[in-house]
């Protein structure tokens, strides 16, 4: 791809290229792959105005119209999957398998929502006065601000705009500066499918301008609701800005997922699932396994199987995993150095290994973690996982819940009663019994507890996030 290409915005259905641009660098090659337009207040206001104007008609569109359009979106995603996958690989360093999986799940989300467009219903409640009646309508909010990250851009990007648009809202996607061509590709699919002008707008800006642009969008009176997927640190800022402006917000934030392996677990499966949960996409998934809690009686055997699973799936015969930037690598190495200096044991990998580039890092497994180590509390968001020894359910729950996060978790046991008992007590938005912590699909609500956010994506719950009730009373 030529370095002279500049990624445009979408404003009112048209591509917009600004004179001010910034470079987009591939973490795989550490070379500039293209440039990207950089938004100012002028483009922000234009996008908001376009979305607000489009809402006047889109809110009245028939659910069947939206359904048919989403079917076209799914078809185009399939038709352009090679092109779209390449954008993601170039900008994020993702392997082809992860890019293909992103596009496939995005397609499944679109098809699922297409079938739900007619499910938003009001009600006709009984009121006290027999000569009166009431209707409770479900209406879209208006202009929605959607902020999506780079690590699973097609999944997280599409869900941030899909559910609001399906419910009759219009959207502004504030795309990440780390993969703007990927987000442009996503938005271009909707426009190719025939989405009316202004229903979906896209902006990107330089990282340094994030506070000003984000504040400007959230404080704009025409923006009625916000959704954000990303780190808890930035989620706090988004939540504060939304609160100051009395705007509702949906947040899906960071995680510190625990996988609990009991003495009756099928250890081969547990080891494989924990390896995948910890190291898929280089551990750069909010649901990634960060803690593995293993019963004392099977710990030694499990650790051998875990090392073997990691070696078979992510070993030296495979390309070195690529992280989004060298900062992410340095963060993981710093966490490991701190833990090892305080007595942790290295079970697998070499934190000091010199890879092909400063953005590469292979999986590392450690054990012997204590609460004074930084890695005990900090989300690594990288190819690092820690093993803990447990003996009782109380101990497992104490460690699993001793975190500010609460997104997802896993329990490995052949005793379904124990699995369900643990699931009720773990403070997370999801618990997966005998499968990895990384699990997201269209038919399951997705969201967190505690400081992993609030609100839900997916299913009818995800659609209901984007309407509000209106009560209408009348006399017969």
């Amino acid at each position: 791809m030529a370095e002279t290409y500049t990624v445009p915005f979408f404003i009112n259905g048209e591509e917009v290229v600004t004179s001010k641009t910034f470079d987009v660098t591939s973490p795989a090659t550490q070379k500039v792959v293209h440039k990207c337009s950089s938004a100012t207040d002028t483009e922000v206001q234009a996008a908001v105005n376009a979305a607000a104007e489009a809402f006047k008609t889109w809110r009245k569109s028939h659910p069947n119209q939206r359904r048919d359009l989403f079917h076209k979106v799914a078809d185009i995603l399939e038709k352009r999957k090679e092109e779209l996958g390449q954008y993601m690989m170039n900008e994020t360093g993702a392997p082809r398998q992860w890019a293909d999986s992103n596009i496939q799940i995005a397609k499944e989300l679109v098809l699922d929502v297409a079938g739900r467009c007619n499910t938003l219903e009001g009600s006709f409640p009984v009121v006290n006065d027999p000569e009166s009646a009431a209707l409770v309508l479900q209406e879209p909010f208006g202009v929605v601000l959607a902020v999506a990250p780079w690590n699973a851009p097609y999944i997280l990007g599409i869900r941030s705009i899909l559910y609001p648009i399906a419910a009759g809202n219009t959207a502004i996607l504030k795309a990440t500066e780390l993969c703007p061509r990927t987000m442009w590709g996503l938005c271009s699919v909707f426009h190719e499918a025939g989405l009316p002008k202004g229903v979906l707008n896209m902006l990107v800006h330089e990282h340094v301008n994030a506070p000003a642009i984000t504040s400007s969008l959230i404080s704009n009176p025409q923006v009625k609701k916000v959704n954000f997927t990303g780190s808890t640190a930035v989620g706090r800022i988004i939540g504060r800005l939304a609160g100051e402006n009395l705007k509702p917000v949906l947040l899906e934030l960071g995680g510190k997922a625990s996988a609990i392996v009991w003495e009756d677990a099928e250890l081969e499966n547990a080891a494989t699932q924990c390896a995948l949960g910890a190291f898929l996409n280089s551990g750069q998934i909010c649901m990634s396994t960060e803690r593995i809690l293993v019963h004392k009686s099977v710990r030694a055997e499990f650790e051998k199987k875990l090392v073997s699973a990691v070696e078979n799936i992510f070993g030296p015969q495979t390309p070195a995993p690529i992280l989004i930037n060298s900062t992410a690598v340095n963060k993981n190495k710093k966490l490991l150095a701190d833990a090892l200096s305080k007595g942790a044991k290295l079970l697998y990998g070499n934190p000091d290994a010199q890879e092909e580039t400063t953005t590469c890092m292979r999986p590392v497994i450690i054990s012997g973690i204590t609460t004074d180590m930084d890695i005990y509390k900090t989300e690594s968001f990288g190819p690092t996982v820690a093993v803990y020894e447990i003996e009782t359910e109380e101990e497992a729950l104490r460690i699993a819940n001793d975190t500010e996060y609460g997104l997802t978790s896993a329990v490995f046991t052949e005793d379904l009663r124990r699995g369900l008992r643990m699931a009720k007590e773990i403070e997370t938005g999801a618990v997966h019994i005998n499968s990895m912590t990384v699990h997201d699909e269209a038919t399951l609500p997705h969201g967190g507890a505690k400081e992993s956010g609030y609100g839900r994506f997916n299913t009818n719950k995800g659609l209901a996030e984007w309407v509000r009730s209106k009560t209408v009373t009348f006399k017969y």
Side-chain angles (χ1 to χ4, degrees), residues 294-349:
V294 189
H295 192 272
K296 181 179 180 179
S297 65
V298 295
R299 175 183 167 183
E301 183 181 359
F302 173 80
E303 286 179 349
K304 290 178 183 177
K305 292 182 181 298
L306 177 63
V307 168
S308 177
V310 174
E311 188 76 6
N312 289 336
I313 303 170
F314 303 103
Q317 76 280 5
T318 62
I322 300 169
L323 278 67
I324 191 64
N325 51 39
S326 58
T327 302
V329 173
N330 293 335
K331 174 185 177 181
N332 275 261
K333 290 189 173 184
K334 184 178 179 181
L335 289 171
L336 289 165
D338 173 77
L340 293 169
S341 72
K342 295 174 180 176
K345 179 184 176 184
L346 184 65
L347 294 180
Y348 179 82

Side-chain angles (χ1 to χ4, degrees), residues 228 230-237 253-255 379 404-405 451-453:
F228 170 80
S231 72
T232 294
V234 177
R236 290 181 193 279
I237 298 171
L253 309 175
E379 179 187 22
E404 65 192 45
Y405 301 108
E451 293 182 20
S452 287

Side-chain angles (χ1 to χ4, degrees), residues 173-247:
L173 175 61
K174 193 175 84 70
T176 169
E177 76 279 5
L178 296 174
C179 60
R181 186 87 194 263
T182 304
M183 295 296 195
W184 170 89
L186 177 62
C187 293
S188 73
V189 168
F190 280 84
H191 289 100
E192 185 179 339
L195 188 68
K197 290 185 175 183
V199 175
L200 173 59
N201 305 273
M202 182 193 112
L203 298 171
V204 196
H205 54 73
E206 295 173 272
H207 180 71
V208 69
N209 293 333
I213 297 295
T214 304
S215 178
S216 177
L217 283 163
I218 294 176
S219 63
N220 192 297
Q222 296 186 97
V223 173
K224 304 301 183 182
K225 188 169 180 178
V226 181
N227 75 71
F228 170 80
T229 300
S231 72
T232 294
V234 177
R236 290 181 193 279
I237 298 171
I238 299 292
R240 175 177 56 78
L241 289 170
E244 288 174 353
N245 290 279
L246 296 179
K247 306 282 179 74

